[in-house]
Amino acid sequence: MTSKPRKSRLKRVLVVLGSVVAVLALAIGGGALWLWSGAKVSTAGTGEFRNKLSVPPLAASHVDEKTGRRVFDLRMQSGETEFRPGQKTPTWGFDGSYLGPTLRAKRGEKVEVRIRNGLDEASTVHWHGMHLPARMDGGPHQMVAPGKNWAPHWTVDQPAATLWYHPHPHGETEQHVRRGLAGMFLVDDDRSERLALPKRYGVDDLPVIVQDVRFDGAELDSGHKMMQDVGFLGDRTMVNGTLDPYKIVHDERVRLRLLNASTARTYDFGFTDGQKFALVGTDGGLLDRPATMDRIQLSPGERAEVVVRMKPGERSVLRSYPQDNYGSSWHRRFSGGDDTFDVLQLRAADRLRPSPAVPSRLGELELPAPGNAVRARHFDLKISGINGRKMAMGRVDETVTRGTTEVWTVRNGNGMPHNFHIHDVQFRVVSVNGERPPAQLRGRKDTVFIPSGTTMKLALRFDGGPEFADPRTPYMFHCHLLSHEDQGMMGQFVVVDKGQRAAAKDPGDHEHH
């Protein structure tokens, strides 16, 4: 007589459990759908471009009569920036509340930059893309303590290029850059000055420093959303610290010096009307000849110089388009590959000053020949570290000989996007997955985007005078998705003279000044 009630109770329990499982499944499925749909961001067609583009001023300088150096002064400081009317946002900057002035020097000049740290924590200033001795590089071993000074100096010895400067403290780089510490460093040379390219800074030659941001009230949000393992991804962009920017142009041709100064986001720049532009320069300087294209992909740290032709009265929008080379659809969605941003509007005046055509030849590339390589090295990129090792301040990973050429093979099989930046050198991309590199990778490069499933061969030459041989002071190689760098996806190499060995580095020696 008791079997029926027991069966009935068991049946009710099973029904209840089934209902609970169904509800949980629906909740999990609904949550996954919510995460998936909420991860995609688009500002296409929504911006009003109401703010005039800010152009960073050219930094003041003077030539010291005793040393012959062109001297710049930079102060790292905190402040407040009104990105939106009536809302003051806490920020950092150089000589101001956000970003910094544009430094400019000519090839062959001796330069000195006197850094003053006015922040309440230690930081560094790294000269991204610059060829200079390791002790002047501004990596994590050249920390500047609060209230202290640092005055690196070197001779500019590289072709005209769009370079930049930013902090490089170990484990804190993403936060320091996100707060606003960044600026451009333009190098000129005799060849570039003779070319018929737009060259009036702020008029027809424009710095375009692109960053993605997200606001939490009046403050800059720094949180990493769920599933976003590339790092911080914002929900809108700004240029030179300007939200919804426009620039009125009065010339037929405009040169845009594009810099991806975001900490994790990769962009694919093009114009909404589909017009083509001339790519004239990459990270380390001008190409040998311009390349006509309608898109240019830049990962964090990369630069490109493009010349666009304007028509009287037109309004042309620079947009970042979705990208399909992030790996799986999952990584495309949660790493920003599906996102679209309207970045900058160019407003052509009704009458434009005529501009000469872009020259068909820009000069000879100064790039190493892979056939001269004396050493090959391999680097496997994973979020857990490079070649299976996390960054250690006291460990030198590679030792190279001054005056030699090497070929480095860099592979990303990690399933997520990475890129690769090497300090001190401008390298040649020899091949991408065994094929000849596309036009945008045939110039001088110091940073490259390496999507999952990609292998690149790079040719590097470690040139420089005796001061470049320094067995005690390392340069860095690392992923320039700054959260990855901060998590330890970075290594160190020293340049030595033949017969020298790397000297042990004290991990506590951060060289505070």
Side-chain angles (χ1 to χ4, degrees), residues 33 76 104 173 256 277 292 321 363 373 401 435 460 480 505:
L33 180 61
M76 293 184 279
R104 194 158 200 168
T173 299
L256 304 180
F277 51 82
T292 300
Y321 290 87
T401 302
E435 303 291 334
L460 312 80
H480 213 282
K505 187 72 180 175

Side-chain angles (χ1 to χ4, degrees), residues 43-47 49 237 244-245 272 317-320 340-344:
T43 64
T46 64
F49 301 107
T237 57
D244 299 318
T272 54
V317 174
L318 180 69
R319 175 175 288 176
S320 176
T340 306
F341 292 95
D342 283 352
V343 177
L344 169 67

